[in-house]
Amino acid sequence: EYEKVWTPERRQKALQLNLSPTEAYTLASIIEEETNDKADKPLMASVYLNRIEKRMPLGADPTVKFALRNFELKRIYEKHTMYESPYNTYRVTGLPPGPICTPTLETLDAVLSAPKTEYLFFVANSDFSGKHIFTSTYDEHMKYAKLYQDALNELLKQQENQKSAK
């Protein structure tokens, strides 16, 4: 199965990204857990590849969930990012030691076909469409992150009010 997946073309693409097949697979596993949106997957790969190149922590929420073995977390708080684990990419620079799930070939190919961008950040769109907003600066990122957090707070408040009304 390994040979079926790691065709000469895929190996070459990984090499061009300065990734081993295992590293490409590990990155694909993170993106698999980040989104279901096909169009966002290559852009997310671009963000993470840019962070790796700049030696920035990946800061990937799914790796924290994996480290904590708590896949129900909806929000990652600072207390979660402090957890000691080689899989916690808020604390450890670079990729974790291995994949956090089994990515689809579609996601692996999205990683291997990542476009060159200047993006360093992404956040879920505040319209809850499942899409993400990609930015190059921290200030831009924080603007969109606040919009998402405010929208999420409002949604959770509405859900709580509905429960109370029952």
Side-chain angles (χ1 to χ4, degrees):
E1 288 304 307
Y2 182 87
E3 293 304 319
K4 286 181 192 173
V5 170
W6 286 104
T7 63
E9 180 187 13
R10 282 193 179 113
R11 287 177 193 264
Q12 183 60 35
K13 285 182 173 185
L15 187 61
Q16 289 170 345
L17 295 172
N18 295 317
L19 297 175
S20 70
T22 300
E23 290 169 330
Y25 194 81
T26 298
L27 181 52
S29 76
I30 295 169
I31 294 166
E32 187 74 32
E33 291 296 310
E34 284 279 15
T35 188
N36 292 320
D37 190 277
K38 292 177 186 180
D40 282 358
K41 288 179 180 189
L43 294 173
M44 283 184 179
S46 177
V47 167
Y48 289 134
L49 290 167
N50 289 340
R51 286 182 172 200
I52 289 168
E53 187 177 313
K54 292 182 180 293
R55 299 183 194 275
M56 292 173 64
L58 297 185
D61 291 357
T63 65
V64 174
K65 292 177 182 182
F66 182 85
L68 292 169
R69 299 287 190 253
N70 184 347
F71 303 98
E72 303 304 314
L73 286 174
K74 298 293 182 218
R75 285 188 176 175
I76 302 297
Y77 292 103
E78 187 175 355
K79 67 181 181 180
H80 299 126
T81 66
M82 293 295 131
Y83 185 74
E84 289 280 347
S85 168
Y87 284 89
N88 182 349
T89 59
Y90 279 87
R91 295 187 57 88
V92 178
T93 302
L95 290 164
I100 61 170
C101 73
T102 303
T104 62
L105 286 179
E106 175 186 74
T107 303
L108 178 60
D109 287 336
V111 167
L112 297 175
S113 301
K116 280 280 187 200
T117 70
E118 298 295 318
Y119 296 141
L120 291 172
F121 305 97
F122 63 86
V123 65
N125 196 319
S126 60
D127 66 4
F128 303 109
S129 62
K131 298 195 73 54
H132 295 78
I133 297 171
F134 296 85
T135 57
S136 301
T137 69
Y138 186 70
D139 286 344
E140 285 178 300
H141 171 69
M142 291 309 295
K143 177 178 85 171
Y144 291 111
K146 180 168 179 8
L147 288 173
Y148 178 76
Q149 290 299 324
D150 290 349
L152 185 59
N153 287 339
E154 183 60 31
L155 178 67
L156 293 173
K157 188 169 130 184
Q158 288 173 5
Q159 289 173 346
E160 198 57 41
N161 287 341
Q162 289 172 352
K163 283 182 189 176
S164 297
K166 288 183 180 180

